[in-house]
Amino acid sequence: MRRIVVDTDTGIDDAHTLLYLAGRPDAEIVAITSVYGNCAEEDATRNIGYVARLLGLDAPVARGAAEPLRGPAHIAGHVHGKDGLGDLGLDRPLPPVAAESGPELLTRLANERPGELDLLALGPLTNLALALRQDPELFTKYRSVVLMGGSGPYAPPGTLLMIDANINNDPEAARAVFAAPRRELVMVGVNVTAGTILDEQAIAALRASAAPAARFATDILAAYLDFYQNEWGRRIIPLHDPLAAGVLLDPTFATAWTDGPVNVRGDGFLYRARLMRTHDGLPPAFPYEPAPATRVITAVDTRRFVADFVEVLTK
């Protein structure tokens, strides 16, 4: 059983992740913290409340960061809809929230239950960085920290990757996370999530199901499909955040990984978190900052994970 604290900028794939976690018998959602990213922080909190009510989930909710450590927030309304759940006009009142902030909740739970909890970060890493300011040893007190973000090792020459949005939204916070001491830090980046596709057949299976989770999962898909059809010419989506949850619960979904230092680097336009290795395992051709080893996922069994995701939501 994995007892999981979820930090989320609750957009469409974050909602799918909560549905997936709630449907897995080996997962317990212990608490949820909100952060800006796919939508504004208030919308992220409202969406947590909506999904929790749908699932009958009784876990404390704490409101987190509304903007990065520096600079303005970049909100992905063009991807997830302005409200984060596809702008369907859902009734989304604010749920009851804890008196403490998201970073305070992350810190308190880790110190009250050291070694018992896993932290799953699905959005910009601002809450985690703020929590590290309160407790620099925070990650040593979580059983594991698994994050959806990063771009893996340097790609083969001529290869382009999807934007590393969670890192790009707050590179300063990401630097603090990858530099912190930890028990286990796992990076599930766009190098593997972009190819983990919920295709037409899988979407049809969700639509055909009478299960409430599957119905909701397909109801909110339109905005996401509208965005990704411009990438591939097909109405399909990548399972970014759900894959990170899958790897946390079942590490055998990952078929290859490398342990090594991760740096956050910018190219003048965007920031990415990179394993400081080339695609063939060599160090990069420039100096880089030393950092504790992060487990960087480099390949996954996409067929098996997508099948599991669909099975869990259609139960």
Side-chain angles (χ1 to χ4, degrees):
M1 173 66 71
R2 293 278 186 160
R3 295 171 175 84
I4 304 167
V5 180
V6 182
D7 184 70
T8 174
D9 57 340
T10 329
I12 292 167
D13 62 328
D14 305 71
H16 286 170
T17 304
L18 294 174
L19 299 175
Y20 176 69
L21 290 173
R24 286 276 304 231
D26 53 352
E28 176 191 352
I29 299 173
V30 171
I32 309 175
T33 56
S34 65
V35 67
Y36 70 93
N38 291 330
C39 53
E41 181 278 324
E42 181 176 314
D43 283 309
T45 304
R46 292 180 183 276
N47 295 344
I48 291 168
Y50 187 92
V51 177
R53 288 193 301 275
L54 175 71
L55 295 170
L57 180 64
D58 183 21
V61 177
R63 297 185 64 172
E67 58 188 8
L69 298 180
R70 295 184 185 177
H74 301 287
I75 304 300
H78 60 295
V79 181
H80 298 265
K82 184 178 178 182
D83 70 0
L85 292 182
D87 294 330
L88 300 180
L90 301 172
D91 183 21
R92 302 173 304 121
L94 278 170
V97 296
E100 58 195 336
S101 70
E104 289 169 338
L105 179 63
L106 297 181
T107 304
R108 177 175 62 79
L109 289 175
N111 281 279
E112 287 179 352
R113 302 171 65 175
E116 293 184 22
L117 306 176
D118 297 282
L119 175 56
L120 178 62
L122 304 178
L125 299 175
T126 314
N127 285 339
L128 276 65
L130 291 171
L132 284 167
R133 290 180 178 179
Q134 300 174 26
D135 184 352
E137 299 294 319
L138 179 72
F139 293 169
T140 68
K141 299 167 186 176
Y142 277 101
R143 179 177 175 181
S144 73
V145 180
V146 178
L147 61 92
M148 191 277 119
S151 296
Y154 282 89
T159 302
L160 298 177
L161 288 174
M162 195 172 286
I163 291 172
D164 191 355
N166 287 341
I167 304 303
N168 188 59
N169 271 341
D170 196 341
E172 182 176 340
R175 287 192 181 101
V177 166
F178 288 111
R182 74 288 303 266
R183 179 178 296 200
E184 180 180 62
L185 178 62
V186 180
M187 186 172 90
V188 183
V190 294
N191 56 307
V192 289
T193 64
T196 304
I197 300 298
L198 194 72
D199 64 12
E200 294 91 346
Q201 182 178 359
I203 293 171
L206 290 175
R207 290 193 191 281
S209 173
R215 288 203 304 269
F216 174 65
T218 52
D219 286 346
I220 61 177
L221 269 184
Y224 219 30
L225 292 168
D226 289 347
F227 176 78
Y228 279 109
Q229 70 184 8
N230 296 316
E231 293 290 324
W232 297 304
R234 295 167 59 186
R235 291 182 67 76
I236 57 179
I237 61 165
L239 292 171
H240 292 298
D241 290 341
L243 180 62
V247 169
L248 190 162
L249 293 173
D250 183 355
T252 67
F253 284 132
T255 57
W257 58 86
T258 300
D259 294 336
V262 170
N263 281 192
V264 176
R265 299 182 64 91
D267 59 8
F269 298 96
L270 298 169
Y271 288 90
R272 291 184 183 275
R274 295 274 200 182
L275 174 69
M276 291 293 101
R277 298 289 183 270
T278 62
H279 75 284
D280 48 4
L282 298 175
F286 49 79
Y288 58 87
E289 293 293 324
T294 294
R295 175 150 293 186
V296 177
I297 306 303
T298 56
V300 295
D301 187 341
T302 57
R303 184 188 299 269
R304 188 165 71 89
F305 172 69
V306 172
D308 185 64
F309 176 81
V310 172
E311 180 183 1
V312 169
L313 265 64
T314 55
K315 282 180 180 176

